[in-house]
Amino acid sequence: MQDTLAPANGTPRDASTVVLLRDARHGLEVFLMKRSGLSDTFGEAYVFPGGKMDAHDSSPAALAALDEPATALAQRLGEADQSPELAAGLYVAALRELYEEAGVLLARGERRPASLQSADWQAWVDASAAQLAASALVPWSRWITPRMAALSKKRFDTRFFLALAPSNQIASHDNYETTASIWLPPVEALQRYHRGEIEMAPPQIMSLGHLARYTTAAEALAAARAQMPPCICPENFEEDGTVILSYPGDPRHSVQARALPGPTRMVVRNKRFVPDGPLESLWS
């Protein structure tokens, strides 16, 4: 991670992420995966399953496999400037990445694809009679990489979806793009990050703080369904030699309406992102 801000590269790439939830004895848990150290984006960081949208995700065959029409899915995303085909393709990308990276398939009908490779997924979608369960994904938030980079110069326009983990499937890392995985309560994940045991990027930190306000998966999913997904494009600046990430609602951000609960800024200290206040401010 760089110590100072620098311009990020070009137009953000469309991407999708799935925040997989389950209920455990002690409450809500979230599935996290450790990126490979060879990854050029968020290497070694713990993230939610996800990745870039590809051309096949919005193909006629892929859209026809979805269990809901593209127009309905687009309306749920709430992005008036996007075509229904691109919006529905974001759902396909989310379902594909969840399967490729975590081995979790949200679909009905035909058997699972033969392997976790993208080409096998595409061939399976084209040839099978399965229905991809877009209805299992609940749009939650939209994160756009800042124009001034504090972490990576690559830019993404990522839609975050919530989904309930199927009880008959086991989520796990693929030992290729991801090298470890774990289910954790949101607060414990943030505490582990605070102690330096794991690494995370700001969207994951802020998202976990948001999820920590719910005690069950049903509560989190209901809250997501009751809102339109907020758009968060951090605006970064330097102050007295310190890099600060501001979010909507912060005095330094161009959007004055809050998009998320919790702190409105993160500070880079010792090459790590921390809230501008106590750790507990992320969830209390």
Side-chain angles (χ1 to χ4, degrees), residues 16-180:
S16 296
T17 284
V18 180
V19 185
L20 205 59
L21 309 176
R22 75 178 185 186
D23 292 317
R25 286 183 300 173
H26 45 262
L28 176 67
E29 288 188 335
V30 180
F31 184 68
L32 292 163
M33 314 182 76
K34 185 180 181 181
R35 286 279 188 207
S36 166
L38 300 176
S39 173
D40 58 359
T41 306
F42 309 134
E44 301 287 345
Y46 275 76
V47 298
F48 310 120
K52 298 185 293 292
M53 182 179 173
D54 67 28
H56 181 270
D57 293 330
S58 57
S59 69
L63 300 190
L66 293 170
D67 66 351
E68 293 196 60
T71 51
L73 297 174
Q75 186 175 22
R76 207 166 297 152
L77 274 185
E79 300 176 23
D81 57 337
Q82 298 291 3
S83 70
E85 292 75 20
L86 186 142
L90 291 164
Y91 284 79
V92 176
L95 294 166
R96 174 180 54 78
E97 289 286 347
L98 180 63
Y99 182 68
E100 290 177 358
E101 290 196 342
V104 173
L105 180 64
L106 301 180
R108 304 178 185 88
E110 296 284 323
R111 66 185 186 277
R112 295 156 70 91
S115 72
L116 302 183
Q117 299 305 309
S118 181
D120 297 308
W121 166 273
Q122 293 177 16
W124 175 75
V125 169
D126 290 345
S128 79
Q131 274 198 319
L132 300 177
S135 58
L137 300 176
V138 182
W140 189 42
S141 60
R142 178 184 182 184
W143 286 78
I144 303 176
T145 308
R147 293 178 177 85
M148 296 299 291
L151 180 67
S152 170
K153 289 189 176 183
K154 289 189 174 183
R155 299 194 70 203
F156 297 96
D157 186 347
T158 306
R159 284 68 168 191
F160 282 58
F161 297 88
L162 299 186
L164 184 65
S167 59
N168 62 343
Q169 297 186 48
I170 298 175
S172 182
H173 52 284
D174 63 6
N175 280 320
Y176 176 64
E177 291 188 26
T178 55
T179 58

Side-chain angles (χ1 to χ4, degrees), residues 217-230:
E219 286 183 10
L221 290 164
R225 291 189 183 100
Q227 62 157 23
M228 295 305 292

